[in-house]
Amino acid sequence: MSWRSWRASHYVAAGALTAGMLVWAAHEALPSREIPLALPIVVTSAYDEWADTLGRGEMLSDVLERAGITGREYTSFMNATHALNPRRMQPGLIFEVRRLKGASVANRIAVRLTPDKRLSLARLGGDSGWTEIVEDISWTTERLRTTAVIQSNLYDALDAAIPDSFLPSRQRVGLAWAIADVYDWEIDFTRDLRPGDRVEVLIERMQSPEGERRLGRLLAARVEVGGAPSFAFAFEPRPGQTAFYDERGRSLRRAFLRAPLRFSHISSRFGGRFHPILKRWKTHEGTDYAAAFGTPVRATADGIVTEAGRNGGYGNLIEIRHANGIRTRYGHLSRFATGLHVGQHVSQEQTIGYVGSTGLSTGPHLHYEFLVNGRPTNPQRKDAGVGEPVPASLKSAFNSMRVSLLAELEPTVPPPATPALGAAAGAAREN
């Protein structure tokens, strides 16, 4: 190789090396850059979900229309359901609705048919229609005890003593009804209770997997009125038939209820009074019960309907013939129970009509008469008759049950696992 050729080749090599070093230096001098990557797409919710309540005067089709289920979709929906009867739906029923975001038609409708059953209908793809699923809800049962002190009335006492975590408000109302029903023949909760009286009850409480709580059976009770205790123990004299008895096994049920309304207020008692419409003194041959328009009226005893229609100042009147020459009358009714007719046999506590203000009446109330051999008698003073006691053959079983329930109703030392209900309430769990 000549000197000229060698020098040229070295110049080329040196230039290439220099260029490479300049490129490297420039790369190092520039800020570091990474290949940009797209952020992951996170879907927070693929559905719109809401609850819709069936309003008063509405039909199922109104709820479904708000969910986009109309026309052919409505027909397909109704063809798929066998458990949902649109003609037997009460206002206040809550429907859970789910819809894909951006869609116009819901793809799932769920509703609680009863406390123990939930119905859901899901929309299939394309024009495949809907499919129905009825799910049984499993409730667990526990026994709980609570005590309430009367200040004004039974419900207010229970409401003050029992928190929502123990029983929701509506279930506390149910508990008050249950206690009043058991003692319906013994205690008039509108008149007999006084501040300081006490009520103790042992109940079953039901709880769903979702944490819902509701009242189960009333097992035992002790109501103290004026220092005198009255006990009630649940017992089955026959399979599937629960009755309540006192500590000696005597039935708390009587031939006649003390009142034809539940938790009512006596506005005008038996005897003389100044008639508000006729403007003169007139013997009042019954008892008036002030109550809201439409309040159900109960037959106070088993009997045969002898009159059901309009009757002068009574307005809409029902008369029932009972045993031993006794008749009862129920006046000023707004309407009669569906299907009620003369000659029909009615049972004690059966709803026969509804409170109104027909006839000579200044406002909604019930006029109740109690006649013995045609003579008006004060129903508050009439012996209501004795119920059937525990059968002699079951007395031993009843006594065993009574001792067990009493130990839970009035424990001498509260068990450690008792849920705290505050100063006025306590609870005892079932082992």
Side-chain angles (χ1 to χ4, degrees), residues 108-176:
R108 183 177 181 273
I109 301 287
V111 61
R112 179 75 68 83
L113 295 176
T114 67
D116 301 314
K117 290 189 181 298
R118 180 187 289 109
L119 167 70
S120 62
L121 284 104
R123 187 169 182 260
L124 304 174
D127 295 327
S128 302
W130 294 73
T131 183
E132 179 182 67
I133 299 175
V134 178
E135 174 189 1
D136 290 326
I137 300 171
S138 177
W139 293 78
T140 57
T141 303
E142 57 184 342
R143 290 187 177 185
L144 300 170
R145 169 188 174 271
T146 187
T147 300
V149 179
I150 303 297
Q151 296 300 327
S152 56
N153 58 61
L154 176 60
Y155 172 72
D156 286 346
L158 293 171
D159 194 47
I162 301 175
D164 286 335
S165 59
F166 184 84
L167 272 182
S169 176
R170 183 173 295 183
Q171 299 299 312
R172 295 198 292 272
V173 173
L175 177 57

Side-chain angles (χ1 to χ4, degrees), residues 11 14 23 55 90 159 167 175 194 202 218 235-236 238 246 271 290 299 304 324 342 352 402 427:
Y11 281 150
V23 171
Q90 298 296 322
D159 194 47
L167 272 182
L175 177 57
R194 297 291 183 270
L202 178 68
L218 176 62
F235 184 71
E236 290 189 2
R238 285 171 286 277
D246 67 9
I304 303 295
N324 302 318
V342 172
I352 56 175
R402 174 183 56 80

Side-chain angles (χ1 to χ4, degrees), residues 261-304:
L261 302 180
R262 305 164 86 188
F263 276 113
S264 53
H265 169 68
I266 297 180
S267 58
S268 182
R269 299 186 186 281
F270 182 89
R273 66 162 181 168
F274 185 78
H275 198 282
I277 294 180
L278 299 178
K279 304 300 181 184
R280 60 184 172 85
W281 284 94
K282 184 177 185 296
T283 299
H284 191 233
E285 298 180 341
T287 303
D288 284 352
Y289 294 88
F293 189 92
T295 299
V297 176
R298 307 176 296 173
T300 54
D302 297 350
I304 303 295

Side-chain angles (χ1 to χ4, degrees), residues 43-49 98-103 107:
V43 179
T44 56
S45 176
Y47 301 101
D48 290 320
E49 296 180 296
R98 189 183 72 180
R99 180 176 61 196
L100 279 169
K101 284 189 178 295
N107 67 345

Side-chain angles (χ1 to χ4, degrees), residues 31-54:
S32 176
R33 291 185 181 142
E34 296 180 357
I35 299 175
L37 299 175
L39 294 175
I41 298 175
V42 178
V43 179
T44 56
S45 176
Y47 301 101
D48 290 320
E49 296 180 296
W50 69 94
D52 196 349
T53 303
L54 182 68

Side-chain angles (χ1 to χ4, degrees), residues 1-11:
M1 178 182 296
S2 67
W3 166 253
R4 184 175 294 178
S5 299
W6 177 87
R7 187 172 59 178
S9 63
H10 277 69
Y11 281 150

Side-chain angles (χ1 to χ4, degrees), residues 79-95:
N79 287 339
T81 180
H82 302 285
L84 201 58
N85 188 339
R87 296 184 179 180
R88 296 184 179 179
M89 302 182 67
Q90 298 296 322
L93 202 60
I94 298 174
F95 292 81

Side-chain angles (χ1 to χ4, degrees), residues 227-388:
S230 178
F231 288 91
F233 300 98
F235 184 71
E236 290 189 2
R238 285 171 286 277
Q241 180 184 349
T242 300
F244 286 87
Y245 303 89
D246 67 9
E247 67 276 16
R248 295 171 59 182
R250 296 174 300 189
S251 175
L252 296 185
R253 186 180 180 90
R254 298 291 186 267
F256 285 84
L257 299 177
R258 293 188 59 144
L261 302 180
R262 305 164 86 188
F263 276 113
S264 53
H265 169 68
I266 297 180
S267 58
S268 182
R269 299 186 186 281
F270 182 89
R273 66 162 181 168
F274 185 78
H275 198 282
I277 294 180
L278 299 178
K279 304 300 181 184
R280 60 184 172 85
W281 284 94
K282 184 177 185 296
T283 299
H284 191 233
E285 298 180 341
T287 303
D288 284 352
Y289 294 88
F293 189 92
T295 299
V297 176
R298 307 176 296 173
T300 54
D302 297 350
I304 303 295
V305 177
T306 56
E307 184 176 348
R310 196 82 177 186
N311 187 329
Y314 286 106
N316 290 330
L317 174 74
I318 294 174
E319 182 179 272
I320 300 176
R321 184 182 73 246
H322 310 282
N324 302 318
I326 297 175
R327 293 173 183 259
T328 55
R329 289 177 178 169
Y330 311 78
H332 306 310
L333 302 173
S334 60
R335 62 188 178 92
F336 307 120
T338 302
L340 189 82
H341 60 273
V342 172
Q344 177 182 345
H345 180 274
V346 293
S347 302
Q348 187 179 63
E349 296 189 86
Q350 180 178 334
T351 296
I352 56 175
Y354 300 87
V355 168
S357 188
T358 55
L360 294 178
S361 170
T362 58
H365 72 285
L366 173 71
H367 173 81
Y368 175 63
E369 288 184 16
F370 193 97
L371 299 96
V372 179
N373 296 322
R375 296 181 57 186
T377 304
N378 187 348
Q380 302 297 318
R381 296 183 179 178
K382 172 66 180 174
D383 181 8
V386 179
E388 182 182 347

